[in-house]
Amino acid sequence: MRFDEYNYFNIYLIYKGGENMTSTIKDVARLAGVSISTVSRVINNSKPVSPEIRQKVMKVIEEINYKPNEIARSLVTKKSSLIGIIVTDIGNSYVAEMVRGIEEIAKMYNYDIILCSTYSDKETECKNIQLLKRKQVEGIILISDIINDRIDELIKEYDNPFVYLNRLYHQTKYSTVSIDNYNAAYEMTKYLISLGHMNIAYLTAKEKQLKELTTIETEKLEGYKKAVREELYEEIIHFSKGKNIKSGYNAANEIIARDNITAIFTSCDDLAIGAINYLYDNNINVPHQISVAGYGDIGTASILRPKLTTIDEPFYDIGAVAIRRIIKELKGEKVDFDEITLPFRIQRRSSCVEIK
Amino acid sequence: MRFDEYNYFNIYLIYKGGENMTSTIKDVARLAGVSISTVSRVINNSKPVSPEIRQKVMKVIEEINYKPNEIARSLVTKKSSLIGIIVTDIGNSYVAEMVRGIEEIAKMYNYDIILCSTYSDKETECKNIQLLKRKQVEGIILISDIINDRIDELIKEYDNPFVYLNRLYHQTKYSTVSIDNYNAAYEMTKYLISLGHMNIAYLTAKEKQLKELTTIETEKLEGYKKAVREELYEEIIHFSKGKNIKSGYNAANEIIARDNITAIFTSCDDLAIGAINYLYDNNINVPHQISVAGYGDIGTASILRPKLTTIDEPFYDIGAVAIRRIIKELKGEKVDFDEITLPFRIQRRSSCVEIK
DNA sequence: GTGAAAGCGCTAACAG
DNA sequence: CTGTTAGCGCTTTCAC
């Protein structure tokens, strides 16, 4: 450090010492003896700057530990590099997994994420969209599991890249990403049939408000039906009160009242886990007395004993693809299809066995 | 809508139609025929405005669906109403639970959160702190499980409210919140002793880098030791390679090689789950042959069969208290203690039974 | 009670 | 290559 620089630095310290310590581009400019535009240029590498000056500026930046204020930058560039992500509840492992995918990819492209929870409340969902708009997020991913008739209006106002990961519906208005639920359910049922099961109960839940099955649940159910019909087996369909573990627990009781059932296939892992718990608590052996298959392959599925046979929905990838799509759109790249379908896998584990 | 207003609105639409549709405070001012300061006043309720004008302004805001730009506001107020939260991995259920607590409380006070993951990488942790600083977050909560000698310097530079939720260390430099690990482990061990267990193995893991126990793990271990010593029982301490389910699985094998063991107490739930899985896979009945107790009470603990006896660490509350503390500091309220201790509970469930 | 004007920290023409 | 200048959209003195 030569004397003049050392001196500059001291002056700077004296100047800044009293008040707010954060230094601005002006400080850097003054200390480096250049204009703020030049500083801006070296920070952003936006235009050529002579090596010596660049050096000098960088040194000052280093010395006073200058960090550009992204808020100010955003204001002028109109790019916040923020993506809003609205979830039902980060406590659900599949949601966490999706967020993981989103966050990781977003970071790769220098976007940050603002996280909001709705706990499946419609009002909160709407509020969050508006709030994120005010925060100038460049895109929104909405992970929802409710019906929200105000989405249309809100998104129209918002007018930015948007991906709708609604677990109830497939709609063509917005970009979405999911697996082929019809075929997934079909294949799982076929698998159970291949194990010799002839009386396979399907357990699902109606949506509370509508009191009917949602688009996606209908697709799964149809997949199940198709497989069963092909064999001319009986369709055995049960509806639980909800989709959580407890609902599965309670439903299992009713299902096994029919004593010919040898397998239960549920529309989500939690229902399967609930069912397995019920059977365990009532000394009914899974899989030897009853096989149980789930849907989703949440983390718990492979921890359980017996390990849960289920359909692997690639939650991480769903998140990753969703954010990828938004970033593409933001970059002005052409984005073709709006309904992206990802591959699934049947996870054959120990909760389902061949019938004897 | 009277004619003149209607007319204004049309002019506005014509004006805005071509370009960027988002309206600004200027638009509102022009359409309402007032100055932007007045608009600002009605938006923020910062100074008295005559009822008629307020009406008029509100009407225009409604009509053109004006939403204030928070970025611009932040720039002048120097308040981003953003809290940064850096986590190891949102995929860990306890982390998700903490984030849940943070997010929910933050929203109550009109703060939003920016989420960053580190996957326990030191460099990423440092980068994220700096990045959040640039984004002008008003506070940071760091949920970490690594040693990071650069934290000091980084936080000094950052110079804003900060809570360090490091699962390895208790340090007095920063605010932190946790449970009394020493007494929690002590009480759990006492509980096992009360069930008649005399040969209780304690399973924990050394930190990889240090190859020794971290502060927090040492506290737990000391709690266990104290309880065992009080009875003059033998201390049976095992170290696994890591803290995940797999490590627990592998360690269980070694532990039961000593055939007098009747109970295993692990320093985290994942180790316990791994151990239970191992015992299940090897036809050793839990709890009747061996009782297993965990630490943490993660979601899976009560789903497992047998249900896991464990120590309930209030993860949600830990997050909530952490953010609460930051908000208090931001409001200039006095914040007294820096190391907040929350209560724990021994969750007595079916994985531990009285010895016969 | 209201408006004019300055400025938050930065980028981006525009000259030179 | 570098500096000057005009804003980005908003809040906040300071006059009136």
Side-chain angles (χ1 to χ4, degrees), chain A residues 35 37-38 41 48-50 53 78:
Chain A
S35 73
S37 355
T38 303
R41 279 168 200 137
V49 173
S50 79
I53 294 196
K78 295 186 177 320

Side-chain angles (χ1 to χ4, degrees), chain B residues 24-25 40 44 66 68-69 73 76:
Chain B
T24 73
I25 196 169
S40 175
N44 301 303
Y66 167 72
N69 180 330
R73 182 179 293 190
V76 26

Side-chain angles (χ1 to χ4, degrees), chain A residues 82 190 232 235-236 355:
Chain A
L82 246 28
K190 288 289 276 185
L232 304 177
E235 291 170 12
I236 308 163
I355 211 160

Side-chain angles (χ1 to χ4, degrees), chain B residues 212-332:
Chain B
E212 59 186 39
L213 286 179
T214 59
T215 326
I216 289 174
E217 288 311 324
T218 305
E219 286 172 11
K220 294 182 191 172
L221 180 59
E222 291 303 321
Y224 158 82
K225 281 185 183 170
K226 184 187 175 205
V228 169
R229 278 183 196 150
E230 282 177 359
E231 306 293 328
L232 305 177
Y233 292 163
E234 193 188 354
E235 290 169 13
I236 309 164
I237 301 161
H238 277 256
F239 296 102
S240 55
K241 293 258 193 296
K243 291 185 159 191
N244 53 26
I245 295 177
K246 200 172 170 207
S247 306
Y249 194 96
N250 296 334
N253 177 27
E254 297 165 29
I255 293 174
I256 59 161
R258 297 180 58 138
D259 56 11
N260 56 349
I261 302 273
T262 62
I264 304 174
F265 175 26
T266 68
S267 70
C268 67
D269 282 347
D270 276 351
L271 284 177
I273 291 169
I276 288 179
N277 280 176
Y278 176 84
L279 299 171
Y280 175 95
D281 291 350
N282 289 276
N283 295 312
I284 297 167
N285 187 289
V286 177
H288 299 297
Q289 286 173 269
I290 293 191
S291 287
V292 178
Y295 201 113
D297 200 15
I298 61 175
T300 321
S302 51
I303 291 169
L304 275 189
R305 289 298 185 271
K307 293 182 187 173
L308 187 63
T309 289
T310 186
I311 291 160
D312 173 19
E313 274 189 271
F315 297 116
Y316 178 95
D317 295 345
I318 290 175
V321 169
I323 185 77
R324 198 66 196 79
R325 203 194 170 295
I326 286 192
I327 291 170
K328 265 190 182 158
E329 205 172 327
L330 250 21
K331 289 197 172 171

Side-chain angles (χ1 to χ4, degrees), chain A residues 343-356:
Chain A
F344 60 85
R345 275 214 333 257
I346 305 290
Q347 287 289 6
R348 288 147 214 234
R349 291 198 276 243
S350 49
S351 71
C352 294
V353 291
E354 202 155 346
I355 211 160
K356 277 164 211 155

